[in-house]
Amino acid sequence: MMGNTRELPAPQRGDSWNTYECATVLCAVDGCDHGACQSGPFFVVSISLDEDKVATTIMYSSDTGTWSTPASLDLGFIESDISISWMHGVLSGGALHFILMHDDARLGVLKYDLGTSCLSEIEPAFEIQSARFDSHALIAPEDGQLGIARLSGFNLSVYWREVCHDQVATWTKSEVIDLKKHLLASNPMISHTELVGSVERTTIIFATTNIGTYMIDLKSLRSKKLTSELRLFNHPWALFPYFSFYNPDKLRTRSI
């Protein structure tokens, strides 16, 4: 957006860059509010899955100009084939999270801890794992929670992950939201919906329909149509949410 480009060196792993399935760019400044950090130090986290069902994550630092030691997780004990969702990862609790898609329509969550460089898998609630053919999106609001939004037809529910003091994690299901009352009210021609992402540090999700893409705030339950170009089954991975910002230090004020 700023017109700047920066070419990164290829990871020294004997693999080509295009073996990685997805990548995420992160601000590298602790405590940054991300209001004007476009020129600051950054991390790039890349993740891949090979034919042996081994997930590998590696992180680039703009400060050092080098890639970290790869972190790997063997998922070979899982019988089904696995792929990483085309949706971008979300940052929650100092870790990046990605959705794992199994060929039998089950879901998993891959977690990469930025502090320990440890890669692990989170097991979602059973109801999510067995939700065949439903669409899902990760949610990471500002309070550090991790949630999974599940859309079945027009019925939307959110499962929140809570970690107890004994480090045992549980999933709590929210009240089911009927999107017919919110989307169809604005356009009765909507017949299909699919989740295509969320905005970090908020409870905003995006749903692509047969007539366009909508932004939905899960707190206010307000929806807004964004575009008619990005439709269901028409390259939903092109969606990339961002916040616009300004630098208050450069503002000039005058009294009237």
Side-chain angles (χ1 to χ4, degrees):
M1 290 183 291
M2 302 299 296
N4 300 323
T5 60
R6 179 166 179 174
E7 184 176 355
L8 306 185
Q12 299 300 313
R13 296 184 57 240
D15 298 330
S16 60
W17 175 261
N18 59 13
T19 60
Y20 289 91
E21 294 197 5
C22 58
T24 301
V25 182
L26 304 169
C27 174
V29 179
D30 291 335
C32 181
D33 63 0
H34 310 304
C37 57
Q38 70 274 13
S39 60
F42 62 89
F43 295 126
V44 176
V45 177
S46 288
I47 183 170
S48 66
L49 279 172
D50 62 20
E51 296 179 353
D52 297 323
K53 301 177 184 178
V54 175
T56 301
T57 305
I58 190 169
M59 183 167 67
Y60 174 84
S61 170
S62 65
D63 276 340
T64 63
T66 59
W67 291 91
S68 66
T69 301
S72 298
L73 179 66
D74 188 356
L75 302 173
F77 61 90
I78 301 176
E79 295 182 358
S80 62
D81 289 332
I82 313 169
S83 61
I84 302 174
S85 172
W86 44 261
M87 278 185 280
H88 61 82
V90 299
L91 183 64
S92 176
L96 270 175
H97 300 80
F98 302 86
I99 290 181
L100 290 175
M101 305 292 295
H102 300 261
D103 63 355
D104 58 1
R106 291 184 297 111
L107 263 77
V109 177
L110 197 62
K111 174 183 176 181
Y112 178 65
D113 192 301
L114 299 177
T116 63
S117 299
C118 181
L119 197 60
S120 60
E121 185 178 9
I122 296 175
E123 185 174 315
F126 177 77
E127 188 175 353
I128 302 176
Q129 295 184 49
S130 58
R132 294 178 60 87
F133 311 117
D134 295 340
S135 64
H136 303 79
L138 292 174
I139 304 176
E142 198 167 8
D143 56 10
Q145 275 189 302
L146 178 68
I148 299 179
R150 170 193 171 192
L151 183 61
S152 179
F154 285 97
N155 295 322
L156 177 70
S157 53
V158 180
Y159 297 78
W160 296 104
R161 186 173 186 261
E162 299 179 0
V163 180
C164 304
H165 296 293
D166 54 3
Q167 299 303 308
V168 176
T170 60
W171 292 89
T172 303
K173 181 181 178 181
S174 68
E175 183 179 353
V176 177
I177 301 171
D178 186 1
L179 290 186
K180 287 183 179 179
K181 299 178 180 179
H182 307 283
L183 294 183
L184 295 186
S186 60
N187 194 320
M189 297 299 293
I190 297 177
S191 58
H192 298 87
T193 57
E194 181 179 338
L195 298 181
V196 291
S198 63
V199 180
E200 286 183 6
R201 303 167 67 189
T202 73
T203 55
I204 294 175
I205 61 173
F206 298 98
T208 297
T209 73
N210 55 300
I211 65 171
T213 300
Y214 288 78
M215 179 177 67
I216 305 170
D217 191 327
L218 297 179
K219 283 188 175 180
S220 64
L221 295 182
R222 294 180 178 177
S223 62
K224 177 183 179 182
K225 187 176 181 181
L226 301 179
T227 176
S228 299
E229 299 300 324
L230 188 61
R231 298 182 181 182
L232 195 66
F233 309 124
N234 184 24
H235 304 296
W237 49 86
L239 181 67
F240 182 78
Y242 69 93
F243 285 103
S244 60
F245 52 83
Y246 66 93
N247 190 340
D249 295 335
K250 295 182 179 180
L251 289 182
R252 295 182 179 181
T253 60
R254 64 178 183 177
S255 58
I256 299 178

